[in-house]
Amino acid sequence: MGEQVARREFSREDRARYRSKVRQCLDVFAEMLRGARFDSERPMTGLEIELNLVDAGAEPAMRNADVLAAIADPAFQTELGQFNVEINLPPRRLAGDGPAAFERDVRASLNAAEERARTVGAHMVMIGILPTLRRAHITLGSLSANPRYALLNEQIFAARGEDLDIRIDGVDRLAVTAESIAPEAAATSTQFHLQVSPPQFAAYWNAAQTIAGVQVALGANAPFLFGRELWRETRIPLFEQATDTRPEEIKAQGVRPRVWFGERWITSVFDLFEENVRYFPALLPICDEEDPAGTLARGDTPRLPELRLHNGTVYRWNRPVYDVVHDRPHLRVENRVLPAGPTVVDTMANGAFYFAVVRMLAEAERPLWSQMSFSAAEENFHACARHGIAATVYWPGLGYLPVTELVLRRLLPMAHEGLDRWGVAPAERDRLLRVIEGRCLTGRNGATWQTETVHRLEDDGDLDRRAALHAMLTRYIEHMHANVPVHEWPVR
């Protein structure tokens, strides 16, 4: 999202040339899948975390340019809103104490960044949606200065031809209209990357789709938006609606949304890139000088810039990624379903569970996705976003059951074996999976802690909703810095 592009107008000729280049890139990608050597012998994992900025009063701080200047670390980048930044961690392997080393890196980076952010009056918060956000904070003027975001905004609204309507029915009901994509900035996520080989990709992507709902149920951390209590992971419907290029008439025709769960199990990574090119018009038709066919013919590795840029404007919850490092191409599954937070240890536990279960499912003799419909996986995903850790899900061989029961009975034992296959040290395996177990046994994750705390403050403290949200967020930040798993946080 943060890649720099120059602001400009696009002509019909630009769009025609871009379409031609994207299709040429797709042809070259297909040729590479047939014969190129992709880097996959020692797969790496990666992590990105989107963060919110607040001031001393827990109000959104529109200071990301000042904060990034103070941090002066290339690992931190802009995000869509001026109250957002993102950290990209160097990739690591999971074997041994890999998760512990990852956790140390994240904590050290965030602590150093927090110290520097304080010098410009800002603080960092890992949370799915900032509870103190109000509609006045979400305007065109709150977008970051990066020209990419202004271009995206212009192109999305040119495609829509009308304002955005955001409608979310949860515990409360929200109905707002927006004249920019700024509401998308309210949704801050954690993204896990897993490097896989081309022959493995379909199995890993399908596996990630099957457990996406379970991930959201366990990790939900976004129950409030604009003072309303909505879904347990409100970030999901918010992001689906805030980046929608379709007016109502186009939706009625069955045109696919750009924020997309998908519609079928795949047999190759090519399926996803080909769908992106076939179904979605360009939002940023910017052409590069690279001749991908010529580059491949010379024996060099094409960067496929148009295909990658286009792929970055189709927001699949599990996104395929093609990248080139040290002139070697590789593929990654980018898992985008989880919110940020609540703590670094919770984030690492979420990652351990995901990497472990997805490996076990991908390597299973009888694939799980051969036993369930794709629509069942999508229904699980939205049910878990709505109800969080209290959700009921469908699972082959078990039928419908509480998600906590599924995790305790079936998926946690699977995760133990999966981390063993990754070579994770037993002590690390047990430490992180105990966090997942603790959430299931207590029924508490970030979303339930937030809502329980707000209700307690409203009922016992005689606070109105806005004051209760501020008080809750202040306590949340204290617990976040203590790095104690959220299921152990007191509600008082």
Side-chain angles (χ1 to χ4, degrees), residues 191-264:
Q191 295 146 33
F192 296 115
H193 290 252
L194 179 58
Q195 184 181 340
V196 296
S197 69
Q200 294 174 312
F201 190 95
Y204 272 86
W205 187 85
N206 289 341
Q209 293 287 95
T210 64
I211 64 164
V214 176
Q215 286 182 270
V216 171
L218 294 174
N221 194 30
F224 295 103
L225 175 61
F226 302 152
R228 308 288 178 86
E229 182 181 347
L230 301 168
W231 291 19
R232 288 301 179 252
E233 187 52 32
T234 304
R235 190 182 119 266
I236 299 296
L238 173 63
F239 194 66
E240 288 176 342
Q241 295 179 46
T243 318
D244 199 341
T245 58
R246 306 167 302 163
E248 291 299 323
E249 296 82 1
I250 298 298
K251 290 181 188 179
Q253 295 173 30
V255 172
R256 295 158 181 86
R258 293 191 91 98
V259 179
W260 200 29
F261 189 81
E263 61 190 16
R264 64 187 176 106

Side-chain angles (χ1 to χ4, degrees), residues 110-357:
L110 291 180
N111 287 341
E114 168 69 13
E115 184 176 341
R116 293 169 187 165
R118 288 176 181 173
T119 65
V120 295
H123 305 272
M124 295 186 173
V125 186
M126 293 192 300
I127 197 165
I129 294 176
L130 196 60
T132 53
L133 272 176
R134 300 190 306 279
R135 290 183 61 186
H137 297 125
I138 304 295
T139 67
L140 184 60
S142 66
L143 295 182
S144 293
N146 186 334
R148 178 186 177 112
Y149 304 126
L151 268 177
L152 276 173
N153 183 74
E154 291 169 4
Q155 297 303 307
I156 286 173
F157 276 83
R160 283 187 59 83
E162 59 188 45
D163 288 349
L164 281 171
D165 283 321
I166 296 175
R167 302 283 185 269
I168 305 174
D169 290 322
V171 177
D172 300 326
R173 184 174 186 272
L174 179 71
V176 297
T177 301
E179 57 185 19
S180 75
I181 62 171
E184 179 192 334
T188 43
S189 68
T190 296
Q191 295 146 33
F192 296 115
H193 290 252
L194 179 58
Q195 184 181 340
V196 296
S197 69
Q200 294 174 312
F201 190 95
Y204 272 86
W205 187 85
N206 289 341
Q209 293 287 95
T210 64
I211 64 164
V214 176
Q215 286 182 270
V216 171
L218 294 174
N221 194 30
F224 295 103
L225 175 61
F226 302 152
R228 308 288 178 86
E229 182 181 347
L230 301 168
W231 291 19
R232 288 301 179 252
E233 187 52 32
T234 304
R235 190 182 119 266
I236 299 296
L238 173 63
F239 194 66
E240 288 176 342
Q241 295 179 46
T243 318
D244 199 341
T245 58
R246 306 167 302 163
E248 291 299 323
E249 296 82 1
I250 298 298
K251 290 181 188 179
Q253 295 173 30
V255 172
R256 295 158 181 86
R258 293 191 91 98
V259 179
W260 200 29
F261 189 81
E263 61 190 16
R264 64 187 176 106
W265 306 118
I266 66 168
T267 59
S268 166
V269 62
F270 185 80
D271 295 347
L272 301 178
F273 282 98
E274 192 272 338
E275 283 181 349
N276 288 355
V277 172
R278 178 156 44 106
Y279 293 146
F280 300 103
L283 282 182
L284 300 175
I286 301 169
C287 289
D288 190 86
E289 295 302 315
E290 180 186 74
D291 172 11
T295 301
L296 186 63
R298 292 196 305 271
D300 295 328
T301 302
R303 294 181 296 109
L304 309 182
E306 292 83 9
L307 187 67
R308 291 166 64 191
L309 178 60
H310 186 62
N311 187 59
T313 63
V314 179
Y315 306 100
R316 294 179 183 269
W317 292 110
N318 282 294
R319 176 190 273 167
V321 176
Y322 167 86
D323 207 349
V324 180
V325 177
H326 304 309
D327 204 38
R328 287 286 301 276
H330 73 258
L331 297 173
R332 304 194 303 270
V333 178
E334 181 187 21
N335 179 253
R336 303 161 49 83
V337 306
L338 286 172
T343 65
V344 174
V345 69
D346 282 301
T347 299
M348 300 315 302
N350 291 338
F353 180 82
Y354 166 72
F355 292 129
V357 175

Side-chain angles (χ1 to χ4, degrees), residues 401-431:
L401 73 167
V403 70
T404 52
E405 183 180 341
L406 172 64
V407 173
L408 292 170
R409 283 175 52 188
R410 182 67 61 89
L411 299 186
L412 269 178
M414 190 184 295
H416 275 80
E417 184 176 348
L419 290 181
D420 288 342
R421 290 191 187 184
W422 283 114
V424 173
E428 271 303 288
R429 174 200 66 200
D430 295 344
R431 178 180 75 92

Side-chain angles (χ1 to χ4, degrees), residues 323-474:
D323 207 349
V324 180
V325 177
H326 304 309
D327 204 38
R328 287 286 301 276
H330 73 258
L331 297 173
R332 304 194 303 270
V333 178
E334 181 187 21
N335 179 253
R336 303 161 49 83
V337 306
L338 286 172
T343 65
V344 174
V345 69
D346 282 301
T347 299
M348 300 315 302
N350 291 338
F353 180 82
Y354 166 72
F355 292 129
V357 175
V358 81
R359 177 165 183 170
M360 292 296 294
L361 293 177
E363 296 179 355
E365 186 173 336
R366 185 184 178 195
L368 188 72
W369 48 95
S370 69
Q371 306 167 56
M372 69 187 296
S373 67
F374 193 88
S375 61
E378 184 172 13
E379 288 167 8
N380 282 349
F381 180 66
H382 286 102
C384 290
R386 180 182 287 274
H387 301 293
I389 204 164
T392 295
V393 295
Y394 172 79
W395 201 256
L398 298 176
Y400 287 91
L401 73 167
V403 70
T404 52
E405 183 180 341
L406 172 64
V407 173
L408 292 170
R409 283 175 52 188
R410 182 67 61 89
L411 299 186
L412 269 178
M414 190 184 295
H416 275 80
E417 184 176 348
L419 290 181
D420 288 342
R421 290 191 187 184
W422 283 114
V424 173
E428 271 303 288
R429 174 200 66 200
D430 295 344
R431 178 180 75 92
L432 293 174
L433 294 184
R434 274 197 297 269
V435 173
I436 303 299
E437 180 183 34
R439 287 189 216 152
C440 292
L441 293 174
T442 61
R444 179 172 296 159
N445 57 14
T448 54
W449 183 88
Q450 288 190 53
T451 54
E452 289 171 7
T453 300
V454 166
H455 294 162
R456 179 73 60 85
L457 289 164
E458 288 176 327
D459 295 341
D460 298 346
D462 197 27
L463 300 180
D464 64 16
R465 174 59 58 85
R466 183 176 175 185
L469 288 170
H470 277 79
M472 178 272 288
L473 183 57
T474 299

Side-chain angles (χ1 to χ4, degrees), residues 15-31 270 273-274 276-281 292-293 304 306-307 310:
R15 294 186 180 280
R17 181 168 178 248
Y18 185 81
R19 180 180 289 113
S20 176
K21 283 292 299 285
V22 167
R23 290 176 175 171
Q24 185 184 18
C25 286
L26 190 64
D27 290 340
V28 170
F29 183 57
E31 187 175 347
F270 185 80
F273 282 98
E274 192 272 338
N276 288 355
V277 172
R278 178 156 44 106
Y279 293 146
F280 300 103
L304 309 182
E306 292 83 9
L307 187 67
H310 186 62

Side-chain angles (χ1 to χ4, degrees), residues 39-154:
D39 188 7
S40 60
E41 290 85 1
R42 300 179 66 193
M44 305 287 280
T45 59
L47 173 63
E48 301 173 50
I49 304 173
E50 296 168 356
L51 303 155
N52 287 283
L53 301 175
V54 297
D55 60 21
E59 286 280 308
M62 306 293 176
R63 303 292 302 277
N64 67 355
D66 296 332
V67 166
L68 291 173
I71 294 173
D73 182 344
F76 287 83
Q77 301 174 2
T78 60
E79 254 298 328
L80 180 62
Q82 292 186 39
F83 56 93
N84 306 140
V85 295
E86 178 180 85
I87 180 172
N88 293 273
L89 279 300
R92 279 189 173 273
R93 295 185 174 88
L94 290 177
D97 70 343
F102 234 146
E103 185 174 342
R104 287 193 296 270
D105 285 352
V106 176
R107 293 197 70 194
S109 295
L110 291 180
N111 287 341
E114 168 69 13
E115 184 176 341
R116 293 169 187 165
R118 288 176 181 173
T119 65
V120 295
H123 305 272
M124 295 186 173
V125 186
M126 293 192 300
I127 197 165
I129 294 176
L130 196 60
T132 53
L133 272 176
R134 300 190 306 279
R135 290 183 61 186
H137 297 125
I138 304 295
T139 67
L140 184 60
S142 66
L143 295 182
S144 293
N146 186 334
R148 178 186 177 112
Y149 304 126
L151 268 177
L152 276 173
N153 183 74
E154 291 169 4

